[in-house]
Amino acid sequence: ELLESVARQDYTTVIVTDLLCLRSKQLKVLSDACHQNGVAFLMALTSGVTASLFSDFGPNHTIKDTDPYQKLGSGMVDKPTKT
């Protein structure tokens, strides 16, 4: 049902946040269907204090970065303190 909706382009974005609901083959099929139909695909996973994000905005997505070596900083907590 979701694949049919992706093929009809009923959605502009599909976001997966729970890998327990999909097997790896199903996830690949869904990702490929999104890519082929111009639907953005995001997969966001968390495990404790760590997180991971995969994004596929398709072949026509362009990143315009004036300084690709610009340091973005870190989201890691170096020295936690009590407040």
Side-chain angles (χ1 to χ4, degrees), residues 7-63:
R8 288 192 308 265
Q9 296 178 336
D10 291 343
Y11 302 106
T12 58
T13 306
V14 172
I15 303 171
V16 175
T17 59
D18 184 357
L19 286 183
L20 296 178
C21 66
L22 294 171
R23 294 186 175 138
S24 62
K25 287 182 182 180
Q26 293 170 314
L27 189 61
K28 174 80 168 118
V29 168
L30 179 57
S31 174
D32 289 346
C34 288
H35 188 84
Q36 292 169 0
N37 290 287
V39 175
F41 177 80
L42 301 171
M43 183 174 65
L45 306 172
T46 61
S47 178
V49 297
T50 62
S52 171
L53 176 69
F54 170 80
S55 62
D56 179 357
F57 293 101
N60 297 322
H61 180 72
T62 303
I63 297 174

